[in-house]
Amino acid sequence: MVGKQNHTEKKKHFNVSKVKAISQMALIGQKSGYTEPRPYKCTECGQMFITKAQLLIDQQTHTDEKPCECSECKKIFSQKDGLVIPHTNHTGKKPYKCSKCAKTFKQKSKSSSHERILMGEKRYRCSECNKAFAQKSDLTVHERIHTGEKPYKCSECQKAFTIRGNLTLHQRTHTGEKPYKCFECQKSFTGIGGLTSHQKTHTGEKPYKCSECEKAFSTKAQLIIHQRVHTGIKPYGCSECEKAFTTKGQLKIHHLSHTGEKPYKCTDCDKAFKEKYILSLHQRIHKGEKPYKCSECGKAFILKAELLVHQRYHTGEKPYKCSECDKSYIDKKRLTIHQRTHTGVKPYKCSECDMAFKLNANLYVHRRIHTGETPYKCTECDKAFKRKSHLSVHQKIHTGEKPYKCTECDKAFKRKSHLSVHQKIHTGEKPYKCSECDKAFITKRTLMIHQRIHTGEKPYKCSECDKAFITKRKVMIHQRIHSGEKPYKCSVCYKAFNQKGNLSSHLRSHTPSLPV
């Protein structure tokens, strides 16, 4: 019995030694980089090998022969090298120390890779795009971008991934598993990366700083995306149009503009959205939720970005500066709108007429000329208006309020813009010049109306007949012919007229001394 035991032990020792020898031979065969044919073929999987040792190792994966057993957990391995790594999990030992920093590792290969990263050494280079990597595994994953290979497939939805880790994270969307929990707020995450990024919101840590500006970020990925603002790189191009984007997520959202798809629907109203995040923000309108409150004035906002812009009213900060002039703005949107005054770009075009606008809001209001919609109604009289601002000005007729006073004369105005125009009468300023003739005008609007004489444009059409007019006022006067309206009455003989000019001419017949 004892002899049999000794024989078994010897056999086991022989197997371990044999496997170790095979491992070393295989390694030598791989490093030598032989170019001659691979003569050793596996009968099970058909794979070819340079050395017989490599074939023997492969055959062990088919026979499930694993002669090396861990004394702690009884797990068995085909090679002694495979036993060493899990064994350190039980002992907690990390025998390989980085020579550059104090970090330790369980595996020598991990320590070597770590040192290469610190030294900036990238020995593995892609043959397609020349990009270099510190680790061979990173190169292997990268090469799949060029080949399109996605070997890891989800059994639930057939979605495929370039790396196993991404598949594991994806599968949790089906199972609902979120194993990584934040101890500060109990929020859970599918991956450790999501948890690590989230925890920085509690600590306020932003270790990744931009070398171009002073901005800092909680993750390296956020910094890389931000740096594209400075470089102008937009690596994600749309296959349908010529647009390009800084992130893959932006491209995915853009694709929906071609398909018209809006998969995220609100349960409270009929609205639908391209992004789940936008839907969640929209739902705050129904809930009345405004989580972001200003510490200065108490005003609350749905979005954090809205609060940040609002706070600039208190601080006076205007970080967005125009490169053409000295003007600066509190947000990028206002700067973009302003820059259109220099470029002359009017991206919002009316489908009914040839008019174009710098702002989408102005186009929206303009369309009411064609539809006849006047949603803003006066509570004092029957008048209605296309714009809320026009209603506000009109209501001052009822109150008699004229808050804007001229410092040169006694005139007062309901609108600040009317005062500004009036003051140019005193200064003689006429900044808006016609490019066709020598005429100049106080306001841009009067120049635009004047230019219609040269272009022949008559955008205001009568709904009763085919006549068209340069200004809205002229079409309104003309329509009185059809309606029979005569709002201007003579105080002497009570004769009525459809135009104020006609009444003025008539009044001269009662006062012959006045020039006709």
Side-chain angles (χ1 to χ4, degrees), residues 82-99:
L83 172 62
V84 174
I85 296 160
H87 193 70
T88 56
N89 291 334
H90 303 301
T91 62
K93 284 182 182 177
K94 292 183 179 181
Y96 302 101
K97 193 173 184 179
C98 173
S99 60

Side-chain angles (χ1 to χ4, degrees), residues 318-358:
K318 290 182 179 180
Y320 298 93
K321 289 173 183 174
C322 177
S323 57
E324 295 290 326
C325 65
D326 297 330
K327 281 196 172 181
S328 55
Y329 296 87
I330 58 169
D331 62 10
K332 194 176 180 180
K333 187 181 175 181
R334 283 173 174 83
L335 172 62
T336 304
I337 291 163
H338 162 77
Q339 283 172 328
R340 288 172 189 158
T341 60
H342 299 297
T343 61
V345 173
K346 291 181 179 181
Y348 304 101
K349 288 173 185 175
C350 178
S351 56
E352 296 289 326
C353 65
D354 297 330
M355 284 194 90
F357 300 88
K358 289 170 193 169

Side-chain angles (χ1 to χ4, degrees), residues 88 92-99 101-115 117-118:
T88 56
K93 284 182 182 177
K94 292 183 179 181
Y96 302 101
K97 193 173 184 179
C98 173
S99 60
C101 66
K103 209 169 186 182
T104 54
F105 299 87
K106 291 174 186 175
Q107 296 167 256
K108 191 177 181 180
S109 60
K110 295 284 183 188
S111 175
S112 300
S113 294
H114 168 75
E115 284 182 9
I117 291 164
L118 290 182

Side-chain angles (χ1 to χ4, degrees), residues 38-49 55 58-59 62:
R38 297 170 181 246
Y40 301 99
K41 186 177 182 179
C42 177
T43 54
E44 293 291 328
C45 65
Q47 201 169 340
M48 305 293 288
F49 298 92
L55 173 63
D58 175 71
Q59 284 172 335
H62 301 299

Side-chain angles (χ1 to χ4, degrees), residues 228 233-238 241 243-248 250-251 254:
R228 290 172 187 158
I233 294 170
K234 291 182 178 181
Y236 302 98
C238 177
C241 65
K243 279 195 172 182
F245 301 87
T246 52
T247 66
K248 197 175 182 179
Q250 287 172 347
L251 174 61
H254 167 76

Side-chain angles (χ1 to χ4, degrees), residues 447-462:
L447 170 62
M448 282 172 68
I449 291 164
H450 164 78
Q451 283 172 329
R452 288 172 189 160
I453 296 165
H454 299 297
T455 62
E457 185 191 358
K458 291 181 179 181
Y460 300 96
K461 288 172 185 175
C462 176

